[in-house]
């Protein structure tokens, strides 16, 4: 049963259409990459954002694997994660990695992969979502750099304070002997 926006409880065909429309709208509008794969790693469904990343339409991506879009090394890493999720039934949640998009842009992504089961509980593939977190990572790097700069400034301020104290002590310590020498020189002149 689903509660419709106005609180009307419904079931059946109308309910399925409503759920399908909500899911379709979600898949079309979300900027994150969403995909479903079979046990061989073939993409069986992708959202608009996923296909757009390749400059394609969703139907042009379906049936292909990561090896069709990414460099071999990157595709092998992705396939290894896919096999792990499907073999163990354990999800990979929020795996952060540096990646190069197919268009050559370097970025950071957070990926979550979850096993997909049939009615009998057998793993039949996986579902995944990948989010571009480049801005977040850059912000974190800037924060870290800011902390390092603040620490350097603290050290420099401490060194400057020590220098000032040293000059003050030296000038104070030299004042008395210099006064005596000055008086002695004045006596000699007199």
């Amino acid at each position: 049963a689903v509660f419709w926006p106005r609180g009307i409880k419904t079931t059946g065909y109308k309910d399925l259409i409503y759920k399908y429309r909500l899911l379709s709208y979600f898949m079309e509008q979300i900027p994150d990459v969403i995909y479903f794969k079979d046990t061989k790693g073939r993409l069986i469904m992708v959202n608009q954002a996923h296909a757009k990343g390749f400059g394609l339409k969703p139907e042009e991506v379906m049936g292909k694997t990561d090896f069709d879009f990414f460099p071999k090394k990157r595709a092998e890493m992705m396939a290894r994660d896919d096999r792990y999720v499907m073999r163990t039934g354990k999800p990979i949640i929020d795996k952060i990695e540096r990646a190069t998009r197919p268009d050559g842009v370097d970025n950071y992504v957070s990926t979550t992969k979850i096993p997909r089961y049939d009615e009998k509980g057998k793993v039949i593939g996986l579902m995944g979502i990948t989010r571009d977190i480049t801005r977040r990572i850059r912000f974190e790097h800037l924060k870290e750099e800011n902390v390092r700069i603040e620490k350097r400034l603290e050290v420099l301020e401490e060194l400057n304070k020590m220098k000032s104290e040293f000059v003050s002590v030296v000038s104070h310590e030299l004042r008395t002997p210099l006064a005596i020498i000055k008086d002695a020189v004045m006596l000699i002149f007199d």
Side-chain angles (χ1 to χ4, degrees), residues 130-147:
T130 300
R131 172 174 284 169
D132 186 332
I133 58 167
T134 305
R135 290 178 66 180
R136 183 177 91 188
I137 296 294
R138 285 183 182 151
F139 179 73
E140 288 172 6
H141 286 307
L142 287 173
K143 278 177 42 180
E144 291 168 3
E145 183 63 24
N146 191 35
V147 167

Side-chain angles (χ1 to χ4, degrees), residues 9 16 20 31 79 96 98 114-115 122 139 157-158 164 175 177 179 185:
K9 189 176 178 180
L16 287 174
Y20 176 78
I96 297 174
R98 190 171 184 168
I114 302 167
K122 180 182 173 193
F139 179 73
E157 287 173 357
E158 185 64 29
S164 296
R175 194 171 295 148
V185 170

Side-chain angles (χ1 to χ4, degrees), residues 71-134:
K72 185 178 179 185
K73 189 174 181 179
R74 174 87 176 119
E76 286 172 349
M77 283 179 24
M78 295 163 80
R80 189 171 36 251
D81 287 348
D82 292 354
R83 285 190 302 274
Y84 169 82
V85 169
M86 290 186 276
R87 186 182 74 249
T88 65
K90 295 178 182 177
I92 293 175
I93 299 175
D94 195 29
K95 180 179 181 181
I96 297 174
E97 51 195 339
R98 190 171 184 168
T100 302
R101 296 187 326 210
D103 61 6
V105 175
D106 232 12
N107 65 348
Y108 290 90
V109 295
S110 166
T111 300
T112 295
K113 295 180 179 184
I114 302 167
R116 193 168 62 89
Y117 299 95
D118 64 10
E119 306 82 36
K120 296 177 184 173
K122 180 182 173 193
V123 174
I124 58 170
L126 65 82
M127 301 171 279
I129 185 165
T130 300
R131 172 174 284 169
D132 186 332
I133 58 167
T134 305

Side-chain angles (χ1 to χ4, degrees), residues 3-184:
F3 288 93
W4 289 75
R6 294 190 179 140
I8 301 169
K9 189 176 178 180
T10 64
T11 58
Y13 183 69
K14 194 175 184 182
D15 189 32
L16 287 174
I17 291 172
Y18 180 69
K19 287 179 183 179
Y20 176 78
R21 285 183 181 155
L22 283 176
L23 182 59
S24 291
Y25 183 76
F26 175 77
M27 292 281 289
E28 288 172 14
Q29 299 301 316
I30 193 163
D32 299 336
V33 169
I34 299 176
Y35 51 91
F36 296 81
K37 293 181 180 179
D38 65 14
T39 55
K40 294 189 180 355
R42 291 182 299 236
L43 294 157
I44 58 173
M45 184 177 177
V46 300
N47 69 339
Q48 188 67 36
H50 192 288
K52 186 179 177 183
F54 301 125
L56 301 171
K57 294 178 183 168
E59 56 272 9
E60 296 173 313
V61 175
M62 292 189 286
K64 297 186 177 172
T65 70
D66 293 328
F67 290 92
D68 295 313
F69 301 108
F70 296 97
K72 185 178 179 185
K73 189 174 181 179
R74 174 87 176 119
E76 286 172 349
M77 283 179 24
M78 295 163 80
R80 189 171 36 251
D81 287 348
D82 292 354
R83 285 190 302 274
Y84 169 82
V85 169
M86 290 186 276
R87 186 182 74 249
T88 65
K90 295 178 182 177
I92 293 175
I93 299 175
D94 195 29
K95 180 179 181 181
I96 297 174
E97 51 195 339
R98 190 171 184 168
T100 302
R101 296 187 326 210
D103 61 6
V105 175
D106 232 12
N107 65 348
Y108 290 90
V109 295
S110 166
T111 300
T112 295
K113 295 180 179 184
I114 302 167
R116 193 168 62 89
Y117 299 95
D118 64 10
E119 306 82 36
K120 296 177 184 173
K122 180 182 173 193
V123 174
I124 58 170
L126 65 82
M127 301 171 279
I129 185 165
T130 300
R131 172 174 284 169
D132 186 332
I133 58 167
T134 305
R135 290 178 66 180
R136 183 177 91 188
I137 296 294
R138 285 183 182 151
F139 179 73
E140 288 172 6
H141 286 307
L142 287 173
K143 278 177 42 180
E144 291 168 3
E145 183 63 24
N146 191 35
V147 167
R148 282 193 292 272
I149 289 170
E150 285 176 357
K151 286 180 181 178
R152 286 183 198 150
L153 283 174
E154 287 173 8
V155 168
L156 289 173
E157 287 173 357
E158 185 64 29
L159 286 172
N160 192 36
K161 182 179 173 186
M162 289 171 57
K163 177 198 65 122
S164 296
E165 288 173 3
F166 176 76
V167 169
S168 175
V169 168
V170 168
S171 67
H172 177 73
E173 293 298 321
L174 288 176
R175 194 171 295 148
T176 304
L178 286 175
I180 293 171
I181 293 171
K182 178 183 167 195
D183 288 343

